[in-house]
Amino acid sequence: MKNPTKKDLDIIEKLVQKEQKAADHILPEEKLRARLKYRLFQERKKRRFLLRYRKPVFVTAGIVAAAILVFMVLIIGKQTAFLSFEKQIASFLENSAGIKTLAQWEELLRHRTESTQISATVFLQHIRKTFEEAREKALSENQDSLVLRKPQKPIFDTKRRMEILFEEKAVHRFLHRFMLEKKEEKNG
Amino acid sequence: MEESSNTFLKKTLLEDLLDFSGKVYKICLGFARNPWEAEELMQEVYLKVMKNLNSLHDTEKKREWLFRIARNTCLNHCRRERLYKNLLFRFAGFHNDHPSPERHLMRNEQYRIFKRSVHNLPLKMKEVFVLYTYGHLSYSEIADFLGIKEGTVRSRLNRSRRDILTSLKGEHHEKPDKKGS
């Protein structure tokens, strides 16, 4: 095709003009501008909302809060992870070896159950079981073994403590009363 | 204090740039298929402008900067569109659910051929054609803007016009023959 003449160019020009006119009719410039401004405003608002939290105060506060949360998780995790149930009972027994009164027992038990988040019933059942196992073991060992000389270290130190505890009437009375209360609660 | 003054400057700059929205819209219209698509493109352009206001160092060249963003956005749009050309042609073409006088133009066969031929132009030719015909920029402005020689602008524009006219005349003349046959 040869170079376009003026007449040819007019065709294009007219088409473009018509298109622009039609577009202006469909979306008038004022409307277009208003919609554009609205969208920009919305976007700016969004960005502002996010930027508000980019200030150093919020960032620091966020970091501190996260650190505290991590520490708390670690501490709680440690308590539950490193103190197994057996260890908890052992420490409980060790700590309570010399306690004889009911009030002291109650106080100690409440404290232990609250701090370890374990129900008192479960705790007491485990104590009972441990007591019985320890007593049977201690009795059988005492019967079978022949002690020729006095051991340098007390072998049955913990077991002995358990035995003492087991024989204590106060503990028995307490456990008995506790279990009765629980049963009554269950039966309504 | 400094931050607030900076925000104010940005706001005024954006206001200034909004004054060119009409021209940006026209450029977008040249690249787009319909006014709605052009509006979308224009909004996209201004969103980019708002996000990248910090990168505008020379405020005297804000107009060129704005048009460059518009041109890049439109070209990206065209490239993206070519990937799923057929789908778009079928589903996102002209909206036919709006019975109004301006629909007449949209339904006009000559206009449709013209629009299709503009759309099918190679991107290099298309951008020159749109910037000249729709954006009403001068040869020198386009040359500066695209970083090419003025002669190249002229030749590209000439070629694009020829292509458009060929398809306009060719398809226009072919039609009666087809009907006749």
Side-chain angles (χ1 to χ4, degrees), chain A residues 1-5 8-9 11-13 15-16 18-27 29 31-33 35-37 39-41 43-44 47-48 55, chain B residues 11 14-15 18-19 21-22 25-26 29 35-36 39 42-43 46-47 50-51 102 105-106 110-111 114-115 129 133-134 136 158 161-162 165-166 168-169:
Chain A
M1 194 192 171
K2 288 176 190 173
N3 279 343
T5 57
D8 294 333
L9 294 179
I11 297 171
I12 295 174
E13 194 59 39
L15 280 167
V16 173
K18 269 186 186 177
E19 189 190 4
Q20 288 181 351
K21 214 176 171 183
D24 193 46
H25 200 272
I26 297 165
L27 292 166
E29 204 178 324
K31 197 179 168 185
L32 208 70
R33 216 179 139 94
R35 276 158 69 157
L36 174 67
K37 276 192 171 178
R39 184 146 181 216
L40 289 177
F41 175 73
E43 196 68 23
R44 209 185 294 164
R47 291 180 79 210
R48 261 193 217 152
K55 284 180 180 173
Chain B
K11 211 176 173 183
L14 191 68
E15 285 290 328
L18 276 170
D19 290 340
S21 63
Y25 177 66
K26 278 175 187 169
L29 193 67
W36 297 277
E39 194 203 3
M42 186 186 70
Q43 288 188 358
Y46 273 96
L47 285 176
M50 201 177 74
K51 279 176 191 166
E102 55 270 15
L105 177 70
M106 302 293 184
Q110 196 187 22
Y111 170 75
F114 164 72
K115 204 66 186 147
F129 179 78
T133 324
Y134 285 82
H136 302 291
N158 203 33
R161 277 169 173 168
R162 262 193 316 198
L165 284 167
T166 310
L168 264 176
K169 284 180 178 175

Side-chain angles (χ1 to χ4, degrees), chain B residues 11-81:
Chain B
K11 211 176 173 183
T12 46
L13 193 62
L14 191 68
E15 285 290 328
D16 289 349
L17 289 170
L18 276 170
D19 290 340
F20 299 110
S21 63
K23 213 155 200 179
V24 171
Y25 177 66
K26 278 175 187 169
I27 291 172
C28 293
L29 193 67
F31 283 100
R33 282 176 202 279
N34 52 49
W36 297 277
E37 202 178 306
E39 194 203 3
E40 276 293 315
L41 276 172
M42 186 186 70
Q43 288 188 358
E44 205 179 318
V45 168
Y46 273 96
L47 285 176
K48 276 186 186 171
V49 164
M50 201 177 74
K51 279 176 191 166
N52 299 303
L53 265 180
N54 287 330
S55 62
L56 175 64
H57 301 299
D58 191 358
T59 46
E60 282 178 11
K61 286 186 176 176
K62 60 190 172 194
R63 189 168 162 269
E64 285 78 14
W65 182 73
L66 174 69
F67 288 162
R68 189 165 291 121
I69 290 180
R71 172 234 178 195
N72 290 340
T73 311
C74 292
L75 285 182
N76 283 340
H77 172 76
C78 291
R79 285 191 194 110
R80 216 182 309 145
E81 205 183 38

Side-chain angles (χ1 to χ4, degrees), chain A residues 86-176:
Chain A
E86 285 76 15
K87 275 185 183 173
Q88 283 177 34
I89 290 168
S91 69
F92 171 76
L93 293 171
E94 276 177 33
N95 293 333
S96 56
I99 296 169
K100 281 173 187 174
T101 63
L102 260 176
Q104 277 175 314
W105 266 99
E106 269 174 343
E107 182 60 35
L108 189 68
L109 194 68
R110 200 185 324 120
H111 173 71
R112 293 298 299 172
T113 49
E114 272 171 13
S115 63
T116 52
Q117 298 287 312
I118 298 159
S119 77
T121 324
V122 177
F123 205 84
L124 287 170
Q125 279 170 358
H126 272 79
I127 291 169
R128 268 196 166 176
K129 211 179 165 186
T130 322
F131 277 177
E132 280 166 11
E133 281 174 5
R135 197 173 77 141
E136 277 171 21
K137 209 176 175 184
L139 282 171
S140 63
E141 275 181 20
N142 276 338
Q143 281 170 2
D144 297 339
S145 60
L146 181 70
V147 181
L148 294 173
R149 59 183 172 81
K150 197 182 172 186
Q152 285 178 346
K153 277 185 182 178
I155 303 165
F156 299 119
D157 193 30
T158 318
K159 285 174 188 170
R160 184 66 199 142
R161 277 184 198 173
M162 286 178 182
E163 277 178 87
I164 294 162
L165 277 169
F166 196 71
E167 282 161 14
E168 271 177 5
K169 283 178 185 174
V171 180
H172 274 285
R173 260 188 286 141
F174 173 73
L175 291 176
H176 184 67

